[in-house]
């Protein structure tokens, strides 16, 4: 069988480097940012750690080699994400969200777009990127014919595109000073579509901090800082564009070509949410196991000798192992096959859905191992649960988006059930 789960030297190197970064700069990140009350202050306090991530190549490593970056395989990315998320999810999300912000350029970028990557190819500074997609009211049905679709629009006026509309939940979109990220990949709708098909209107514009500074005050605004239950040191505010003008050269995906790139970008991150889920499960298992070995609840032996506790812990361990295997398989399959793109994509969707749903269950089971002590804020379990609860509903909610995409694949007359494992059946 052509299956070997032993890490290659390159993969082991990635894991070792990620573990070192997690044990170094990330380890005490929460201790630093929890000194502050507001989300925005907490986010800003992680800037020195982000600087170290840039210096260590973690941003350049999320850019494709053909564009001058040092990016590796999706399996390597999954290994990196798991190691860092196990230790500190919030700061890690800021780092990986810059990767998401750069993914459309990785997928659709041409030589003329390399100038937009310059800050991220450097190993200095703290450049932030963001894929700006979600809108107030949601985007689950944005390609449905006859529906309003995206409300953020771009109008061509001479040699400039004029951007108007509101966005929300786009991590890093406002930058460190809340005046705009270094680079935003803004998913929007042209006001002059070529047909009535919603996808024919979808485009992606690149907005840089330099573009924002060239515009009049108020062209880019933060309307509200969103405080979240988990990931409390991240920034994904409600923002607004008002007649924000960018040069025509800033178009990454012309009208009619944007929707497939958005979909492909989120196919990649679907796999990485699987890895995030495994990281959280790891942390929950390790904390619950340590408690079960070190506490007896006034009994004659440690908790782990109790069958109920051992059953819960073994369940968490098996779930984490199964989710990791699915995530690695999905990562490898998305890049290498077998099967056509839809078959490979199905596994990415499955990894996102199954692993994130399983993660919330696993954390709850870890809490049941520990009992009332898990409710103590000095224990990690409340943070793990509030972190886990977002995984099924962000990056394309499992119910409203990801399962619907799987449904569409299964409805296709060309659906080939097991092509992602065995190759095409015909």
């Amino acid at each position: 069988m052509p299956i070997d789960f032993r890490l290659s030297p390159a993969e082991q190197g990635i894991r070792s480097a990620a573990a070192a970064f997690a044990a170094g700069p990330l380890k005490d990140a929460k201790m630093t940012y929890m000194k502050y009350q507001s989300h925005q202050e907490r986010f800003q306090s992680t800037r020195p750690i982000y600087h170290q991530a840039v210096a260590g190549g973690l941003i350049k490593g999320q850019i494709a080699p053909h564009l001058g970056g040092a990016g590796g395989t999706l399996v390597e990315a999954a290994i990196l994400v798991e190691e860092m998320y196990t230790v500190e999810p919030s700061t890690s999300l800021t780092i990986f969200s810059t990767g998401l912000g750069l993914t459309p350029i990785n997928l659709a970028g041409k030589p003329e777009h390399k100038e937009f990557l310059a800050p991220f190819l450097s190993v200095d500074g703290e450049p932030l990127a963001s894929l700006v997609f979600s809108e107030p009211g949601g985007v689950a049905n944005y390609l449905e014919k006859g529906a309003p679709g995206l409300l953020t629009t771009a109008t061509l006026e001479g040699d400039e595109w004029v951007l108007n509309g509101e966005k929300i939940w786009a991590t890093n979109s406002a930058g460190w000073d809340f005046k705009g990220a270094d680079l935003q990949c803004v998913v929007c709708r042209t006001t002059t579509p070529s047909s009535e098909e919603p996808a024919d209107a979808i485009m992606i514009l690149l907005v840089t901090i330099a573009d924002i500074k060239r515009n009049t005050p108020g062209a880019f605004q933060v309307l509200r800082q969103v405080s979240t239950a988990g990931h409390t040191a991240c920034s994904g505010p409600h923002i607004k564009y008002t007649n924000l003008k960018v040069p025509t050269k800033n178009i990454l995906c012309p009208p009619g070509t944007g929707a497939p790139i958005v979909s492909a970008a989120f196919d990649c991150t679907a796999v990485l949410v699987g890895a995030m889920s495994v990281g959280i499960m790891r942390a929950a298992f390790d904390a619950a196991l340590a408690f079960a070995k070190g506490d007896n609840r006034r009994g004659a032996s440690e908790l782990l000798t109790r069958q109920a506790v051992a059953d819960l812990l073994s369940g968490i361990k098996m779930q984490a192992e199964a989710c990791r295997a699915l995530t690695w398989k999905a990562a490898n399959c998305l890049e290498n096959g077998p099967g056509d793109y839809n078959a490979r994509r199905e596994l990415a969707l499955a990894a996102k859905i199954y692993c994130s749903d399983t993660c919330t269950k696993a954390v709850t089971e870890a809490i049941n191992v520990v009992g009332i002590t898990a409710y103590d804020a000095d224990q990690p379990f409340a943070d793990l649960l509030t972190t886990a609860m977002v995984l099924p509903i962000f990056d394309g909610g499992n119910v409203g988006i990801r399962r619907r995409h799987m449904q569409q694949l299964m409805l296709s007359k060309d659906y080939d059930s097991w092509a992602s494992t065995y190759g095409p059946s015909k």
Side-chain angles (χ1 to χ4, degrees), residues 24-50 52 88 90-91 232-233:
L26 285 184
K27 183 180 179 181
D28 296 324
K30 184 181 176 184
M31 189 183 304
T32 298
Y33 64 69
M34 288 304 291
K35 296 175 183 177
Y36 301 91
Q37 292 297 314
S38 69
H39 273 54
Q40 54 264 41
E41 289 176 310
R42 293 176 185 174
F43 165 68
Q44 289 174 322
S45 75
T46 67
R47 190 169 183 171
I49 299 174
Y50 190 91
Q52 293 179 70
E88 167 47 31
S90 197
T91 309
T232 59

Side-chain angles (χ1 to χ4, degrees), residues 1-6 11 75 325 328-329 332-333 336-338 420-423:
M1 295 290 287
I3 300 171
D4 187 346
F5 286 101
R6 291 174 296 182
E11 291 163 346
V75 171
W328 287 3
K329 179 180 178 181
N332 182 72
C333 183
N336 303 306
S420 59
T421 296
Y422 302 117

Side-chain angles (χ1 to χ4, degrees), residues 347-365:
L347 274 185
L349 295 169
K352 199 277 182 184
I353 296 164
Y354 182 78
C355 298
S356 60
D357 283 350
T358 300
C359 182
T360 55
K361 178 173 177 281
V363 174
T364 302
E365 289 175 347

Side-chain angles (χ1 to χ4, degrees), residues 97-109 113 116-117 120 128-134 152 163 167 170-173 181-188 203-208 239 241 250-253 261-262 265-266:
S97 291
T98 283
L100 173 59
L102 298 173
T103 299
I105 302 182
N106 283 336
L107 295 170
H113 296 121
F116 296 98
L117 294 174
F120 305 95
L128 292 172
S130 179
L131 176 51
V132 187
F133 177 46
S134 295
T152 302
L163 191 61
K167 296 285 190 179
T171 307
N172 297 344
S173 59
D182 296 82
L183 178 66
Q184 301 175 51
C185 287
V186 183
V187 184
C188 53
M203 56 188 293
I204 300 179
L205 279 178
L206 302 176
V207 177
T208 69
I239 61 175
Y241 308 101
N250 286 35
I251 192 163
L252 176 67
C253 297
I261 297 301
V262 173
F266 284 109

Side-chain angles (χ1 to χ4, degrees), residues 82-261:
E82 179 187 332
E83 289 300 320
M84 291 173 57
Y85 241 72
T86 300
V87 174
E88 167 47 31
S90 197
T91 309
S92 297
L93 185 62
T94 299
I95 295 167
F96 298 130
S97 291
T98 283
L100 173 59
L102 298 173
T103 299
I105 302 182
N106 283 336
L107 295 170
K110 298 177 177 62
E112 58 265 30
H113 296 121
K114 284 188 177 181
E115 65 175 280
F116 296 98
L117 294 174
F120 305 95
L121 291 171
S122 169
V123 288
D124 191 27
E126 305 89 30
L128 292 172
S130 179
L131 176 51
V132 187
F133 177 46
S134 295
E135 297 187 348
V139 292
N141 305 304
Y142 85 108
L143 293 179
E144 189 170 286
K145 196 169 183 178
L150 294 184
L151 299 182
T152 302
T153 62
T155 303
L156 185 61
E157 295 184 1
D159 59 356
E160 293 178 316
W161 286 97
V162 182
L163 191 61
N164 283 282
E166 297 179 21
K167 296 285 190 179
I168 195 170
W169 300 118
T171 307
N172 297 344
S173 59
W176 295 110
D177 59 1
F178 309 120
K179 295 179 181 179
D182 296 82
L183 178 66
Q184 301 175 51
C185 287
V186 183
V187 184
C188 53
R189 173 174 57 85
T190 179
T191 54
T192 55
S194 60
S195 76
E196 294 183 358
E197 287 295 328
D200 288 341
I202 303 303
M203 56 188 293
I204 300 179
L205 279 178
L206 302 176
V207 177
T208 69
I209 187 61
D211 294 320
I212 293 173
K213 289 177 178 178
R214 281 194 296 267
N215 275 262
T216 57
F220 175 88
Q221 292 176 280
V222 173
L223 300 182
R224 183 171 74 93
Q225 300 283 354
V226 181
S227 296
T228 54
H231 293 94
T232 59
C234 291
S235 172
H238 182 178
I239 61 175
K240 183 177 183 179
Y241 308 101
T242 304
N243 295 322
L244 191 147
K245 299 177 180 180
V246 298
T248 52
K249 70 173 185 175
N250 286 35
I251 192 163
L252 176 67
C253 297
T257 66
I261 297 301

